[in-house]
Amino acid sequence: MRDDFEASFAEQLAAIEAETGPAVAPGVNARLTETPDFTPFCFGYPKPDSDSGAQHPAALLADLTWDAGSHDRASAMLTAYADDAATRETLLRGVDDESQLAVSRILAILVCAEESAVNVFHHECHRLSDAQIAADHQALREIETEERVHAWLIHAARSHLPVPDDIDAIRRRTRRLFMRVASRDVPTHFARLTGLDSGVCISLSALLGSAKVNKIEGFARLIKHIRRDEATHVKKSRDHAVDLGFNPDQFHECYDLTRSGMVGMLEPIASSFETLGVDPDRLFKRLMRFQESRLAGEAALID
Ligand SMILES: [Fe+2]
Ligand SMILES: [Fe+2]
């Protein structure tokens, strides 16, 4: 803009308008600094360790400093989902009732996983010394913040979706699985987490392979974002487990517990996968295929 007060008002106005960024719906930016009012679905979790301790999206983004790409992706997602009206449109427009309920069931399970993951990584950061975390390139802190972003996004999406009749049973089953895979032995706990996270990647890949899912734009975009982050979590959790002394030959046994637990948890909502154009039997077989490969975590990310 010209710093020239001799310019006509019309010129000044044109210059000001040209400087304005892309149009953002009223209220969107404000939402990014609002304390979320979502009630935890399965597990409550502590505030972040950042100076402000704030849990709103802007504070989470301020913590995502290590990787510009990750920060930009999270920023684009949070800004998009802070626009309530637009998010509602992309989740519900042209989507039949059964599919809305199916998406709602899947997001309920997913948010339980995110809430559990925030706790796991938060407590692990407290357990380790600063020196250990620094040596680990802050990988665990990074994951904790990404999980907080995922939880915020899913809670935002869920607020637009109908609540299925079986929501309490879903919560009970999902909670039970996460309690069952927890181990007092920290290396084992992280090894088991890789089985769960890679299982989440497989399930989200199956969903993203469905044309029907891709038509539910808001849902497809959300699970694509989460899958990308989770793929990196598998690698980081695996490395962390091994760094803590976990024997890599024993990943196989952890997968036995976590993947069969996952299939048992998902079986009662198999028809929701069908509704979304995903063959549940094929997915469940895929989740159990680790038995053929020790490197299931890595293999899982290929498809
Ligand atoms: Fe996550
Ligand atoms: Fe994760």
Side-chain angles (χ1 to χ4, degrees):
M1 180 178 166
R2 280 167 59 193
D3 185 17
D4 174 6
F5 293 97
E6 300 302 318
S8 73
F9 174 72
E11 269 183 79
Q12 294 271 358
L13 182 63
I16 289 167
E17 281 177 342
E19 276 181 348
T20 314
V24 176
V28 167
N29 285 334
R31 178 110 193 266
L32 296 174
T33 52
E34 268 170 28
T35 302
D37 57 0
F38 310 123
T39 311
F41 179 63
C42 271
F43 306 104
Y45 49 79
K47 289 179 176 175
D49 285 335
S50 57
D51 293 341
S52 66
Q55 310 217 47
H56 53 66
L60 298 180
L61 284 171
D63 276 350
L64 286 175
T65 52
W66 73 96
D67 174 347
S70 174
H71 178 278
D72 291 350
R73 288 189 310 106
S75 173
M77 284 300 291
L78 288 166
T79 307
Y81 273 68
D83 187 336
D84 257 338
T87 304
R88 200 179 162 75
E89 264 296 278
T90 61
L91 285 166
L92 304 182
R93 191 189 44 210
V95 183
D96 59 85
D97 292 354
E98 267 315 299
S99 300
Q100 290 182 18
L101 286 167
V103 168
S104 184
R105 288 190 181 96
I106 289 164
L107 289 183
I109 290 173
L110 213 47
V111 83
C112 192
E114 306 296 357
E115 290 171 349
S116 162
V118 171
N119 277 299
V120 168
F121 288 96
H122 183 84
H123 293 302
E124 183 62 356
C125 289
H126 279 239
R127 194 184 69 85
L128 295 175
S129 69
D130 284 349
Q132 277 171 296
I133 290 177
D136 212 3
H137 304 289
Q138 290 214 325
L140 304 174
R141 282 202 195 286
E142 295 163 15
I143 296 179
E144 181 191 335
T145 307
E146 287 177 345
E147 305 295 16
R148 287 179 190 274
V149 171
H150 299 170
W152 190 94
L153 291 168
I154 301 175
H155 276 298
R158 290 185 75 230
S159 68
H160 301 290
L161 291 161
V163 179
D165 291 346
D166 54 347
I167 194 74
D168 290 333
I170 291 173
R171 187 198 338 252
R172 264 199 312 277
R173 279 194 300 271
T174 316
R175 261 183 81 94
R176 205 182 306 137
L177 172 68
F178 283 98
M179 314 279 264
R180 221 177 87 207
V181 302
S183 170
R184 279 179 199 284
D185 180 63
V186 179
T188 304
H189 192 85
F190 277 87
R192 288 178 183 176
L193 264 191
T194 67
L196 283 180
D197 275 359
S198 55
V200 168
C201 288
I202 291 170
S203 308
L204 298 185
S205 288
L207 286 162
L208 286 164
S210 153
K212 202 163 173 191
V213 166
N214 284 284
K215 282 194 192 125
I216 313 172
E217 207 190 303
F219 177 54
R221 184 178 179 188
L222 173 61
I223 59 176
K224 207 176 222 172
H225 175 83
I226 292 175
R227 181 182 61 166
R228 182 164 173 169
D229 285 347
E230 295 306 334
T232 68
H233 299 178
V234 174
K235 165 98 176 67
K236 290 171 183 169
S237 296
R238 195 178 200 282
D239 290 349
H240 187 56
V242 173
D243 286 349
L244 292 175
F246 189 80
N247 177 353
D249 291 337
Q250 286 173 355
F251 274 103
H252 197 258
E253 284 152 40
C254 291
Y255 277 48
D256 223 341
L257 175 79
T258 53
R259 294 291 186 78
S260 54
M262 257 184 110
V263 170
M265 176 194 65
L266 293 175
E267 267 167 347
I269 64 150
S271 62
S272 290
F273 283 95
E274 245 159 348
T275 300
L276 294 174
V278 174
D279 178 347
D281 295 329
R282 223 172 133 221
L283 169 61
F284 298 157
K285 274 197 194 109
R286 182 71 191 86
L287 284 169
M288 297 304 287
R289 210 190 293 162
F290 67 91
Q291 286 158 338
E292 294 165 18
S293 164
R294 280 233 169 118
L295 294 173
E298 285 81 352
L301 303 180
I302 294 165
D303 61 357

